[in-house]
Amino acid sequence: MSTLSSRAPGWLPKWLHGRAELGMVALLGAAGGLVLLDATRLDAPYSQADPLGPRALPIVVGTMLVVCAVALAVDVLRGGHGEAEEGEDVDLTSPTEWRVVLPLLAAFVANIVLIDRLGWVLSGAILFWGTSWALGSRRYLRDVAISLAMSLATFYGFYSGLGIHLPAGVLEGVL
C-alpha cells in the first residue's frame, strides 16, 4: 500500500484511496459539460456561407473533454495512475515556500488592480518586476529596464500584431 493511500481520510470510501486522478476526471467532465451546455445556448441564425455555424467548434471541444474524462476515469478505476517525471527535482515533502508565493500573488493582484488606472505598460512592468523580485533577482535597475521593455513589447505586440487594444492608462496619448 502506498503512503498516499495510508494517509487518506477515513471518511473516503476504500476504493477512492490513492486515486487522486479522479479529481481531474471531475474537472474535465465539468468543463466539457459546461462547454456543451454553453454551445447549445448559442443563438445563431443559419447562413449559406457558414452552414456549420458557431456551435460546431464548442461542441467538438466539449465532446472531446467529456471523452477524455471518461477515458481517464476508466484508466484510473482499472488501476492506472500518474507517474512523477524522472527528471522531477521537486521535493514533495518540503513545505510551501510562502516567501516566494505571497510576493508572486501580490504582483498578480497589483496588476489586476492597477491595469485600468495605470495601463498595461506600467502595471505589466510592475507584474514582471515583481515576479523577478519574488523569484530571487536582486538586480533592480536591470530588472526594471527589462520589465518596461517586456511590457512595451507585449503592448505593441497585441496592438499591432493582433489588433487587441490593451489599456494605456496614464500613458494615453503618449503610446
Side-chain angles (χ1 to χ4, degrees), residues 2 14 22 31 34-35 37 40 62 68 76 78 82 85 96 102 114 116 121 126-127 132 153 161 166 168:
S2 73
K14 191 80 169 163
L22 290 176
L34 184 63
V35 169
L37 177 69
T40 59
C68 285
V76 170
R78 286 185 175 172
E85 291 184 32
T96 302
L102 291 178
L114 297 174
D116 286 330
V121 174
I126 291 169
L127 172 68
S132 66
L166 297 175

Side-chain angles (χ1 to χ4, degrees), residues 102-115 117 123 126-127:
L102 291 178
L104 279 173
L105 182 64
F108 279 100
V109 169
N111 185 39
I112 292 168
V113 170
L114 297 174
I115 193 165
R117 293 181 185 107
S123 71
I126 291 169
L127 172 68

Side-chain angles (χ1 to χ4, degrees), residues 59-170:
I59 288 174
V60 168
V61 170
T63 303
M64 289 173 62
L65 284 168
V66 170
V67 167
C68 285
V70 169
L72 181 60
V74 168
D75 179 54
V76 170
L77 293 175
R78 286 185 175 172
H81 57 85
E83 296 288 335
E85 291 184 32
E86 291 293 323
E88 192 72 41
D89 62 350
V90 175
D91 181 12
L92 297 176
T93 61
S94 65
T96 302
E97 187 67 44
W98 291 107
R99 289 181 296 176
V100 174
V101 174
L102 291 178
L104 279 173
L105 182 64
F108 279 100
V109 169
N111 185 39
I112 292 168
V113 170
L114 297 174
I115 193 165
D116 286 330
R117 293 181 185 107
L118 296 180
W120 167 253
V121 174
L122 296 178
S123 71
I126 291 169
L127 172 68
F128 296 141
W129 180 84
T131 301
S132 66
W133 181 81
L135 294 175
S137 177
R138 296 299 180 254
R139 295 183 176 182
Y140 302 118
L141 292 177
R142 182 198 68 175
D143 294 342
V144 167
I146 291 172
S147 297
L148 281 170
M150 284 180 59
S151 62
L152 272 170
T154 55
F155 180 84
Y156 283 116
F158 273 87
Y159 183 79
S160 300
L162 299 173
I164 298 172
H165 303 284
L166 297 175
V170 296

Side-chain angles (χ1 to χ4, degrees), residues 20-43:
E21 290 87 355
L22 290 176
M24 183 56 71
V25 168
L27 182 66
L28 282 173
L34 184 63
V35 169
L36 286 171
L37 177 69
D38 200 32
T40 59
R41 292 181 177 176
L42 281 175
D43 185 31

